[in-house]
Amino acid sequence: MSTSAGWDHPRTSFYTDHYELTMLQASLHSGAAHRRSVFEAFARRLPDGRRYGIVAGTGRLLEGIANFRFGEAELEFLERTKVVNRETLEYLASYRFAGDIWGYAEGEAYFPNSPILVVEGTFAEACMLETYLLSVLNHDTAIASAASRMVSAAGGRPCIEMGSRRTHEEAATASARAAIIAGFDSTSNLEAGIRYGVKTVGTAAHSFTLLHDTEREAFEAQIASLGEGTSLLVDTYDVEKAVRTAVELAGPRLGAVRLDSGDLVAQAQWVRRLLDDLGNEHTRIVVTSDLDEYAIAALQSAPVDSYGVGTSLVTGSGAPTASMVYKLVSRADNDGNFVPVAKAAKNKVSVGGRKYALRKLDERGTATAEVVGVGHRPEDDGNDRPLLQQFMKNGELLPGWTGHEGVLRARQRHADSMAELPPVVNRLQRGDAAIPTIYEEH
């Protein structure tokens, strides 16, 4: 497993729900706990109006599953609170996931009912992962899906993740990672930097300017300490005066000015003209202030160089969860033969059987459909791309999916996947999924 030397992954076995363990106990009692089983994670629908989603969190999840153990403290709690009986405690004391995990690579686009993760093992070892698995995938996928829309709206201009103060501290780190996978250039979150090796950035807030007797003194101190290439926040008092002071102090090598309030389109336009008139044609303009994909799209006509995004990113821009579920789709019968199983409840119907998926591509390499084979691999006509990758075999992590390497691979996968999708995917107005999902059954 490839994780940062600066961070020890916590034990994850209690990031779960009580009923996972009582279900385990009952299945141990019935004798069905050791039946070979196949679980799948998928989303029945995309958030309202979205045309695609982006898978994220798999690398974090795999690291967590590798640390899914029950130590003395956990076992003592379960015994003291009588959550499970002695037989179940003995099983948990030696628990480790020893099955196989397949799925869509992080950064991959997905659609309704895409088999995003396939977990194969005994019922006992796979059922306990449900809550932890869904909490990671639902959160990170929601963030990456929102981030991807923002990156598309930015049209090649860099996006900076800066939402740490708007969410839980662990969610902030996970959000930064997901945003980088979906094409964001950098993050303000240092914990994401040390865990995942991603680029971190930042200079100063309004409080730094307010700390000094004058704005000039604040700018002088920042330039002296951080260099002329720093970014100066110019809207604490009077923007025009601040820009002129910044240029006077740093000269044409001033890196950037940041705008954090007001009519950003109009303000960016006249600030650009002012900078150019003062000889600072290469000084960039960074904008922040409650941006989302729609605000970023509206700023396309403005002379903006990069966007800093906070609240909307870490809340999924209106879709804080990917609505994924984790269902048993196949299990062995008494003779050891696999049989498909499926829930039939109204509005929550699932399709039984182990799934395989590929993306149909036309002669130009553009995706036309997602084909999901039930119990068999769909036929590849030569242009198509299989989607399921193996992440874990017999409980052992396969290389390349976690740590910094995993983030880099996922970021490239996002770029490649987006390039395959038809142009409609980049439109922000409401619409159906970019490509259809087609089931193939024997």
Side-chain angles (χ1 to χ4, degrees):
M1 179 171 59
S2 174
T3 56
S4 169
W7 181 62
D8 293 324
H9 201 293
R11 183 173 288 146
T12 52
S13 58
F14 265 34
Y15 292 168
T16 192
D17 287 320
H18 184 115
Y19 89 147
E20 308 285 7
L21 299 190
T22 53
M23 182 164 52
L24 168 66
Q25 176 175 309
S27 66
L28 287 170
H29 178 77
S30 73
H34 303 295
R35 278 184 170 174
R36 302 296 299 176
S37 301
V38 179
F39 283 81
E40 288 176 357
F42 61 93
R44 293 189 176 92
R45 62 191 65 85
L46 296 171
D48 233 9
R50 302 277 180 92
R51 287 186 164 90
Y52 70 101
I54 296 296
V55 178
T58 313
R60 290 205 310 118
L61 174 65
L62 294 170
E63 292 174 358
I65 291 174
N67 285 277
F68 202 96
R69 301 282 193 278
F70 294 83
E72 290 183 10
E74 289 83 8
L75 295 170
E76 188 278 330
F77 171 85
L78 294 174
E79 183 175 32
R80 173 169 49 83
T81 57
K82 296 180 171 58
V83 173
V84 293
N85 61 17
R86 170 56 56 182
E87 178 190 10
T88 308
L89 287 171
E90 290 174 356
Y91 174 85
L92 294 175
S94 59
Y95 174 85
R96 66 177 291 274
F97 180 75
D100 298 341
I101 298 180
W102 299 73
Y104 283 35
E106 281 193 278
E108 184 70 76
Y110 75 92
F111 303 94
N113 299 304
S114 295
I116 290 169
L117 204 74
V118 179
V119 179
E120 303 173 323
T122 66
F123 178 84
E125 64 185 346
C127 78
M128 286 194 294
L129 301 179
E130 178 180 8
T131 301
Y132 176 59
L133 181 151
L134 289 177
S135 68
V136 173
L137 290 184
N138 268 315
H139 174 268
D140 289 25
T141 296
I143 305 308
S145 299
S148 179
R149 285 161 59 84
M150 294 170 186
V151 169
S152 291
R157 296 171 177 175
C159 293
I160 306 165
E161 188 284 314
M162 47 196 309
S164 294
R165 61 193 65 186
R166 296 292 186 259
T167 188
H168 181 279
E169 64 272 16
E170 281 297 320
T173 305
S175 295
R177 180 184 183 278
I180 294 294
I181 284 172
F184 268 55
D185 180 69
S186 55
T187 177
S188 64
N189 188 284
L190 288 176
E191 185 65 21
I194 192 171
R195 287 191 196 180
Y196 305 114
V198 300
K199 178 183 175 183
T200 63
V201 298
T203 50
H206 290 102
S207 59
F208 180 78
T209 300
L210 296 169
L211 170 68
H212 294 81
D213 293 336
T214 66
E215 188 171 57
R216 173 180 287 273
E217 290 179 7
F219 286 179
E220 286 175 337
Q222 185 175 329
I223 293 167
S225 176
L226 302 180
E228 294 169 331
T230 190
S231 298
L232 294 175
L233 181 57
V234 294
D235 70 341
T236 305
Y237 305 117
D238 180 272
V239 175
E240 180 178 353
K241 182 180 178 181
V243 171
R244 290 183 180 278
T245 301
V247 171
E248 178 188 341
L249 294 174
R253 289 187 294 275
L254 175 64
V257 295
R258 178 161 72 94
L259 302 173
D260 188 51
S261 58
D263 183 340
L264 295 175
V265 174
Q267 197 164 223
Q269 288 171 340
W270 70 256
V271 167
R272 180 73 272 159
R273 289 194 298 270
L274 178 58
L275 286 168
D276 292 348
D277 289 344
L278 294 172
N280 278 47
E281 293 90 349
H282 300 296
T283 296
R284 292 169 286 107
I285 296 176
V286 181
V287 296
T288 52
S289 185
D290 293 327
L291 300 180
D292 61 11
E293 62 265 47
Y294 300 102
I296 292 171
L299 284 160
Q300 270 294 304
S301 62
V304 171
D305 295 283
S306 60
Y307 307 94
V309 190
T311 303
S312 289
L313 177 72
V314 299
T315 57
S317 197
T321 173
S323 299
M324 288 192 203
V325 294
Y326 182 72
K327 299 299 178 184
L328 178 66
V329 297
S330 182
R331 51 88 175 167
D333 61 18
N334 290 332
D335 296 323
N337 299 313
F338 275 90
V339 294
V341 294
K343 183 176 180 178
K346 184 178 180 181
N347 298 326
K348 291 189 175 182
V349 174
S350 55
V351 177
R354 208 274 196 193
K355 315 296 189 307
Y356 302 85
L358 63 76
R359 189 152 296 156
K360 300 291 288 185
L361 304 174
D362 64 18
E363 63 280 0
R364 296 182 301 275
T366 301
T368 59
E370 191 126 314
V371 180
V372 178
V374 182
H376 73 284
R377 289 179 171 81
E379 185 176 349
D380 183 346
D381 65 10
N383 290 326
D384 306 331
R385 183 166 64 83
L387 292 167
L388 293 180
Q389 309 286 332
Q390 187 165 17
F391 305 133
M392 187 174 276
K393 184 175 183 179
N394 298 326
E396 297 297 327
L397 279 174
L398 299 180
W401 302 110
T402 59
H404 181 49
E405 182 183 357
V407 172
L408 292 179
R409 290 182 64 176
R411 183 179 175 85
Q412 184 59 53
R413 166 46 42 210
H414 172 260
D416 294 343
S417 184
M418 292 297 291
E420 286 179 352
L421 298 184
V424 68
V425 79
N426 289 323
R427 298 179 186 167
L428 294 181
Q429 63 264 41
R430 297 171 67 84
D432 297 328
I435 61 173
T437 301
I438 302 170
Y439 276 101
E440 282 188 356
E441 301 194 38
H442 281 305

